[in-house]
Amino acid sequence: KKLNIALCGLGNYATMLASGIAVSEYCNLAGIVTGSPEKALKWKAQYNIPDKNSYNYQNFDEIIHNKDIDLVYVVLPNGLHKEFVIRAAKAGKNVITEKPMSISVADCQEMIKACNENKVQLAVGYRLHYEPTHLEIKRLGQEKVFGQVRFIEASLGYKTYDTLDKTTIVDKKNDWRLNKKLSGGGPLMDLGIYCIQASRYVLGEEPIAVTAQFGTVNNKDRFSETEESISWQMEFQSDAISNCTTSCGFDTNRFYAVADEGSFELSPALSYGPFVGKTSAGVLKFPEINQQKTQLDEICKLLLANKKLPNHITGAEGLKDVSIINAIYKAAKTGKKISLK
Ligand code: NAD
C-alpha cells in the first residue's frame, strides 16, 4: 500500500513535490486543495485525480469524510500554515507543513496542540534531513570526526529581486514573500532557516544567544515590510559560533565548518543539489538524490508502519527554528544580544 497525499496549495514548490511523489515508492498524489478552479482542472487531468479528492479552501474540512486521503501536505505561504495544519489535524489527517513551520512561536504551539489532540502526526518539510551530504556533515560535526567544531559560516541567498532598481512600485498582494502577514519576514524565514538548521544539526546543540544586523535596503518600497538581507551570529553552549547571512538581493549558497583538527565545507550547500564539498582530508561528494522523493518516502514509510516520526523533523523541531528566527529579528531590531537560554 502507498500513502495517499493531498497537496494543499499548488504553487512552485508543490509542483516540485508532485514530481517527487510521481517517482515515490511509498506515496501517491491522491488529492489537491486549491483556490483556483483552473489549476484544479489542470492538476486533476495531469495527475489523474478524481473530482471527489479535489477541494478548495472553503470546503477543505469535508476531507474528514474522505477515506482515500491519509495525509495533507501544506505548501501555502508561511502565514497560512497554521490554519491549514489545524484544519487537517481536525479532519484526522497526518500532516506535513512546509518550512518555516509558521510565523510565530504561539502559532507553532497551537499547531502541535491540535495535532496531539487529534492524534495525528505532524512533520515539517526539512528535505535536507534526508540528503546524504548533509547526513555526512551532521556526522562529521556531531561525532567530532575533526574534533570539536569551533566556527561555522553559512549563507543562502538568491538574487530574487533587482536590488539596483530602486524605484519599482511593488504590489505586495502579488508577492506574498514581501507581505509580512503572509511571510512572517523576508529571506531569514525563507532561506536563512537552512543556515540555522545546518548549524544546529552539525553541532548537535541549540544556540544560547544571538546577535544580528539588517543589511542595506536598496528599494524601500519593496522592502517596507520584510528585510532584503540580514546577517546574524549564533553562540552555542560549546562556545562554537555560527556566522550566517541571507538575502534576496544576491546569490550565496555555502557552508563551512572549522573544527580543532580540520574543516569541512560545501558550496553549493543548501539548495536542491547536487552538492560539492571537501574536508581537510579530501573530497566530500555523494550521488545526487531527488530530495522531495526521498523526504516523502522516509516519512511515508514510517506512517505506513504506524511508527512515530523522529523528533528532528516534527513540530517540536519546527518550533525551535521559529523561536530562533524571532530572537534574530529581535536582536537586529534592538541591536542587543538576545539570550535563548
Ligand atoms: P508559491 O507562491 O509558488 O505558491 C504558494 C501557493 O499558495 C500558490 O499556489 C498560491 O495560489 C497559494 N495561495 C493560497 N492563498 C494565498 C494567499 N492568500 N496569498 C498568496 N498565495 C496564496 O510559493 P512556494 O515557493 O511554493 O512556497 C510555498 C511554501 O513552500 C512556503 O512555505 C515556502 O517556504 C515553502 N517552500 C519550501 C521549499 C523547500 O525546499 N522545502 C522550497 C520552496 C518553498
Side-chain angles (χ1 to χ4, degrees):
K1 179 183 163 10
K2 287 187 177 184
L3 205 83
N4 287 324
I5 296 187
L7 285 173
C8 177
L10 304 179
N12 289 324
Y13 196 59
T15 305
M16 289 198 75
L17 287 168
S19 305
I21 296 172
V23 291
S24 153
E25 290 151 61
Y26 295 93
C27 57
N28 281 319
L29 179 54
I32 48 171
V33 188
T34 173
S36 156
E38 298 80 44
K39 267 193 216 168
L41 273 178
K42 186 174 159 259
W43 279 65
K44 278 191 289 187
Q46 185 171 351
Y47 295 102
N48 208 11
I49 292 166
D51 284 339
K52 71 171 192 60
N53 292 356
S54 172
Y55 296 88
N56 58 43
Y57 301 129
Q58 286 71 40
N59 68 15
F60 171 57
D61 307 287
E62 289 170 21
I63 205 165
I64 192 172
H65 304 297
N66 193 335
K67 297 276 173 284
D68 296 332
I69 304 291
D70 303 308
L71 180 144
V72 175
Y73 197 141
V74 178
V75 208
L76 290 165
N78 310 337
L80 300 173
H81 292 178
K82 176 181 106 170
E83 176 188 338
F84 284 85
V85 164
I86 293 177
R87 286 170 73 180
K90 286 186 172 161
K93 307 299 176 189
N94 289 314
V95 48
I96 306 177
T97 184
E98 255 318 312
K99 43 53 62 178
M101 182 172 165
S102 191
I103 59 174
S104 77
V105 169
D107 277 8
C108 296
Q109 287 165 338
E110 275 186 63
M111 292 155 86
I112 293 169
K113 189 162 169 267
C115 290
N116 286 341
E117 281 174 1
N118 290 285
K119 299 187 171 45
V120 300
Q121 297 213 54
L122 168 63
V124 181
Y126 288 129
R127 57 183 165 76
L128 292 178
H129 282 240
Y130 298 98
E131 199 288 322
T133 326
H134 276 261
L135 292 175
E136 177 63 2
I137 61 169
K138 179 177 173 180
R139 186 186 76 83
L140 294 177
Q142 291 200 15
E143 293 183 10
K144 301 186 177 16
V145 173
F146 294 100
Q148 170 67 45
V149 172
R150 300 289 175 192
F151 176 65
I152 289 173
E153 245 174 36
S155 58
L156 183 62
Y158 291 108
K159 192 171 175 7
T160 322
Y161 305 101
D162 180 358
T163 50
L164 295 178
D165 165 15
K166 298 183 200 292
T167 52
T168 308
I169 304 298
V170 180
D171 180 0
K172 296 195 178 68
K173 284 199 197 97
N174 287 329
D175 188 343
W176 65 264
R177 283 184 165 84
L178 296 172
N179 175 322
K180 181 102 189 273
K181 236 182 121 196
L182 286 171
S183 61
L188 178 59
M189 280 275 173
D190 201 26
L191 308 172
I193 189 168
Y194 289 102
C195 305
I196 298 171
Q197 274 276 305
S199 303
R200 289 179 53 233
Y201 55 69
V202 165
L203 287 164
E205 321 172 49
E206 298 305 320
I208 55 170
V210 294
T211 48
Q213 308 78 35
F214 288 120
T216 308
V217 183
N218 286 291
N219 183 325
K220 299 218 162 32
D221 173 61
R222 183 182 285 138
F223 299 106
S224 64
E225 297 184 26
T226 59
E227 76 280 2
E228 179 177 321
S229 304
I230 185 167
S231 298
W232 71 99
Q233 302 74 40
M234 298 184 281
E235 295 176 18
F236 290 81
Q237 192 82 51
S238 61
D239 285 342
I241 298 286
S242 174
N243 194 2
C244 305
T245 292
T246 182
S247 174
C248 50
F250 54 82
D251 292 327
T252 178
N253 188 350
R254 182 174 142 82
F255 179 89
Y256 177 61
V258 179
D260 283 338
E261 285 119 42
S263 63
F264 46 100
E265 63 187 278
L266 297 175
S267 180
L270 301 160
S271 43
Y272 300 131
F275 300 128
V276 186
K278 61 180 185 197
T279 74
S280 40
V283 176
L284 186 53
K285 191 159 171 36
F286 289 83
E288 185 178 6
I289 59 153
N290 179 326
Q291 293 186 19
Q292 290 72 27
K293 170 200 184 290
T294 308
Q295 173 208 331
L296 279 160
D297 273 352
E298 292 304 315
I299 291 175
C300 293
K301 217 190 290 181
L302 291 174
L303 292 175
L304 284 165
N306 279 321
K307 291 202 175 133
K308 252 184 87 122
L309 297 177
N311 286 338
H312 63 92
I313 59 150
T314 60
E317 176 78 6
L319 187 151
K320 282 182 197 164
D321 285 334
V322 173
S323 60
I324 296 166
I325 287 172
N326 271 349
I328 292 167
Y329 280 133
K330 195 169 167 196
K333 275 182 204 135
T334 59
K336 295 203 168 108
K337 184 188 276 194
I338 303 298
S339 168
L340 283 158
K341 273 185 202 161

